Amino acid sequence: MLKDNLNEGFLFDLKTLQGLDERIEWFDKYYKFKEHYRDRKFDNIVIQSKLKKITPGDTVYLWLGDEGNEYIWMCAILNFLLKTKLSIYVIDWSKISFNNFHYKELSAYSLQVSAPQDVILASKNFRRLTNPEQNIFSELWINFLKNNSPLRILKELSSILETDIEYL
């Protein structure tokens, strides 16, 4: 589970974790208190160490949805894994029918909000990510790092608005 919300705050390079302390300081300063989410650094170090353990020949399943934070995380992770020769699978949300009687209760655009029985249903809908798709997500992450805006908003799938934190 990826707890750090990449929609807000300055980003950092997962390959080096450079800038993670500045990210944490930004949250402390912006919210004017030591954030209740102080394990952000630990979580990100754990994520980086787990990503480094993935080796060529492994198969990776990314359960990341059509929600802004998860979309940005997918960009970051795919950038991290870009040079590895992996089979990477993602949920194919287009194959999950939310109106069908059988899936009536399915709310699985994000694992975070999924009921256990929904996880089983949605897990049957993985598809292999193509190399061009991985390249696109990786390039998006590079642009996010370069722009490093304090707020990122998913306007529509594959369209992220990067702006000032006072956007509203």
Side-chain angles (χ1 to χ4, degrees):
M1 179 80 68
L2 305 172
K3 295 179 186 175
D4 194 354
N5 182 355
L6 297 184
N7 284 334
E8 63 179 338
F10 296 111
L11 300 173
F12 60 95
D13 185 356
L14 288 180
K15 294 175 185 164
T16 65
L17 294 178
Q18 184 178 351
L20 183 54
D21 288 331
E22 287 93 356
R23 178 171 171 74
I24 292 167
E25 288 172 23
W26 181 88
F27 278 91
D28 289 344
K29 183 178 177 183
Y30 182 76
Y31 289 107
K32 298 183 179 35
F33 63 88
K34 293 289 181 196
E35 77 171 294
H36 64 281
Y37 188 18
R38 290 301 293 172
D39 56 353
R40 183 183 307 271
K41 185 171 187 173
F42 175 76
D43 287 346
N44 282 293
I45 290 169
V46 169
I47 290 165
Q48 184 193 55
S49 69
K50 287 183 179 188
L51 288 172
K52 284 181 177 178
K53 290 179 183 175
I54 297 171
T55 59
D58 285 345
T59 301
V60 174
Y61 290 87
L62 293 177
W63 187 307
L64 295 168
D66 293 343
E67 181 270 327
N69 179 46
E70 294 181 14
Y71 187 85
I72 295 167
W73 265 112
M74 186 152 61
C75 294
I77 290 169
L78 292 173
N79 175 265
F80 190 97
L81 298 174
L82 187 63
K83 301 224 186 285
T84 59
K85 302 293 183 213
L86 299 170
S87 297
I88 300 175
Y89 289 82
V90 295
I91 290 283
D92 188 348
W93 297 107
S94 69
K95 300 230 175 175
I96 301 173
S97 173
F98 293 96
N99 299 318
N100 180 309
F101 175 75
H102 184 66
Y103 289 93
K104 178 169 94 171
E105 300 298 320
L106 183 60
S107 175
Y109 68 90
S110 169
L111 183 58
Q112 210 167 13
V113 296
S114 298
Q117 65 273 18
D118 298 342
V119 172
I120 293 166
L121 292 171
S123 68
K124 297 176 182 174
N125 291 290
F126 278 96
R127 69 169 180 84
R128 188 167 184 174
L129 191 70
T130 66
N131 286 339
E133 287 174 313
Q134 186 173 351
N135 289 334
I136 289 168
F137 283 113
S138 178
E139 284 297 317
L140 284 169
W141 178 249
I142 290 168
N143 287 334
F144 295 149
L145 283 176
K146 183 172 59 175
N147 296 339
N148 216 359
S149 301
L151 182 64
R152 286 157 294 284
I153 303 166
L154 183 67
K155 298 292 272 181
E156 56 189 54
L157 201 52
S158 78
S159 176
I160 302 278
L161 171 66
E162 296 177 86
T163 186
D164 186 62
I165 197 70
E166 306 295 331
Y167 170 73
L168 302 175

